[in-house]
Amino acid sequence: MMFQRPGQIRLADWEDIDFEVELWRCPPEKMKMREWQKRDSRTPAHIVPLPRQALEILRELYPLTGPTGPVFRSMSRRSERSRYISDNTINSALRTQPGGLQNERGENLRSFIYESKH
């Protein structure tokens, strides 16, 4: 479906999602790159087309965490509404899924998917 880095997904904001054109605009400051590149105004945003399945999930999530701020907001009682989920949340979700992902970590998921397709 989508093979973005877990950090990019984890740090997605509703302001970056455009349901009408079905795109997710990931700003440079949320991408994995050198710090000077993130601050350079010439660095373009990463534009990700959103497949139908991702749009369905986002529409279901919107009433829970939208319309502004983090898409994947931490639901911890101690956290503020503006706090993102942690890396460990993604790893924990992978451990509980059937289908051979129990031993995978979020940061390895893209290579795992790539290797399984080739």
Side-chain angles (χ1 to χ4, degrees), residues 47-61:
I47 306 299
V48 181
L50 293 170
R52 177 185 46 81
Q53 301 92 328
L55 286 166
E56 288 173 9
I57 292 168
L58 289 169
R59 285 189 179 105
E60 287 179 24
L61 194 57

Side-chain angles (χ1 to χ4, degrees), residues 3 108-118:
F3 305 116
N108 300 333
L109 192 56
R110 289 187 332 144
S111 62
F112 173 79
I113 292 168
Y114 178 80
E115 289 170 9
S116 68
K117 290 187 167 268
H118 290 87

Side-chain angles (χ1 to χ4, degrees), residues 4-86:
Q4 303 306 307
R5 286 187 165 82
Q8 282 181 297
I9 294 170
R10 189 175 70 77
L11 298 175
D13 282 315
W14 284 112
E15 294 83 354
D16 302 329
I17 306 291
D18 190 332
F19 285 106
E20 288 187 24
V21 293
E22 301 178 348
L23 292 175
W24 168 27
R25 181 190 163 278
C26 186
E29 59 269 14
K30 295 181 182 176
M31 297 189 306
K32 182 179 179 181
M33 60 176 57
R34 291 184 170 87
E35 286 301 317
W36 69 267
Q37 289 174 309
K38 292 179 183 185
R39 292 188 301 267
D40 188 338
S41 61
R42 296 171 296 179
T43 303
H46 182 68
I47 306 299
V48 181
L50 293 170
R52 177 185 46 81
Q53 301 92 328
L55 286 166
E56 288 173 9
I57 292 168
L58 289 169
R59 285 189 179 105
E60 287 179 24
L61 194 57
Y62 188 84
L64 300 173
T65 64
T68 61
V71 172
F72 300 103
R73 181 173 293 138
S74 173
M75 295 302 192
S76 168
R77 279 188 265 154
R78 298 181 307 228
S79 75
E80 306 144 20
R81 284 185 51 82
S82 62
R83 192 160 163 212
Y84 300 94
I85 61 171
S86 72

